[in-house]
Amino acid sequence: RLLLHFSSHLKMAKFSALSALALVASTSAFAPASVSRTNSLALNAEMSKAVPFIKAPEGTKGWVGDVGLDPLSFSEYFDMKWLRESEIKHGRAAMLATVGFVMQQYWTLPGMIAVADSNMAPTAAGPSAMLQIVCWLGVLEWWSNKGKITMENMFEDPDREPGNFGFDPMGLSVGKSQEEMDEMKLKEIKNGRLAMLAIGGMIHHNWVTNSPLF
């Protein structure tokens, strides 16, 4: 009888405990979720400026022109110095290309065949002229950094700044503060990015319409 009485009390205790847990669970389900202001600020700090619904990459922080956009995560797998030099070089080439693409329609070098569609200029120039351009640009690339042109050795010198080849014939950087230099670098990067998009649009315009740009 004593054993039966103890078993009955044990069952009642278990039932009371389960009831209490159920009550807590049901009330917590309707309680508002509390998010600390610190966590909210930390989350906002990690979001991209360019695309606010994706997280900003860690590798691009502190670089001029960083807007928190690296959708393919290049900065996680490659040296940022190499990536920055690549962007600057492509931007500079694109700025020259946009000007050349427009000029080709209205002006032709002496001895070359005039074509209105700039996409046809390489064909009109022929493979010999195009190969000369490629070869001499390769020589220029080799000479610009003393033959160190691979990702492994391009930045063996830790003081070397990406895109800086000491070429400033107009003295635009003379007497500039670091803040002013960063502003000039930002302008070059932004113009280069715009030019890369522009030359792609120009080329595809001529392909799609099968006609000159203007």
Side-chain angles (χ1 to χ4, degrees):
R1 186 178 292 177
L2 183 60
L3 189 59
L4 225 93
H5 184 67
F6 178 76
S7 177
S8 174
H9 273 284
L10 187 61
K11 284 181 180 177
M12 287 298 293
K14 285 182 178 178
F15 179 76
S16 299
L18 288 172
S19 300
L21 286 171
L23 183 62
V24 171
S26 62
T27 54
S28 65
F30 293 97
S34 61
V35 180
S36 67
R37 188 168 182 271
T38 305
N39 289 341
S40 177
L41 289 173
L43 181 62
N44 290 334
E46 292 175 359
M47 303 312 286
S48 166
K49 293 179 183 177
V51 187
F53 53 82
I54 65 171
K55 287 187 177 181
E58 291 292 328
T60 60
K61 288 181 179 178
W63 289 86
V64 175
D66 172 38
V67 291
L69 183 63
D70 183 16
L72 298 178
S73 301
F74 284 154
S75 60
E76 293 182 16
Y77 303 104
F78 299 100
D79 180 8
M80 264 304 297
K81 284 188 173 182
W82 184 82
L83 290 173
R84 174 44 55 92
E85 177 134 328
S86 178
E87 180 182 28
I88 290 173
K89 283 182 176 179
H90 280 83
R92 289 169 180 171
M95 285 188 277
L96 291 171
T98 52
V99 176
F101 200 89
V102 174
M103 285 191 65
Q104 165 62 35
Q105 187 173 336
Y106 301 104
W107 182 74
T108 305
L109 287 171
M112 304 301 290
I113 300 171
V115 287
D117 184 353
S118 299
N119 281 348
M120 300 304 297
T123 305
S128 175
M130 297 307 298
L131 283 173
Q132 287 182 56
I133 293 172
V134 172
C135 288
W136 281 110
L137 283 176
V139 171
L140 181 63
E141 179 79 7
W142 182 274
W143 170 79
S144 65
N145 196 32
K146 301 176 182 178
K148 297 177 181 180
I149 58 174
T150 67
M151 193 187 302
E152 287 76 17
N153 63 12
M154 186 178 284
F155 291 97
E156 284 183 349
D157 179 4
D159 296 327
R160 182 171 176 264
E161 184 183 359
N164 186 357
F165 298 99
F167 182 72
D168 184 18
M170 299 180 69
L172 297 177
S173 62
V174 177
K176 295 287 193 303
S177 65
Q178 186 59 48
E179 186 179 353
E180 290 171 327
M181 283 300 299
D182 287 344
E183 187 178 350
M184 291 181 69
K185 291 173 186 177
L186 181 60
K187 289 177 181 178
E188 181 184 29
I189 288 168
K190 283 186 173 181
N191 280 283
R193 289 171 179 172
L194 179 61
M196 285 187 276
L197 292 172
I199 191 61
M202 289 173 169
I203 291 170
H204 282 82
H205 167 273
N206 286 19
W207 275 341
V208 171
T209 63
N210 198 27
S211 62
L213 190 61
F214 299 108

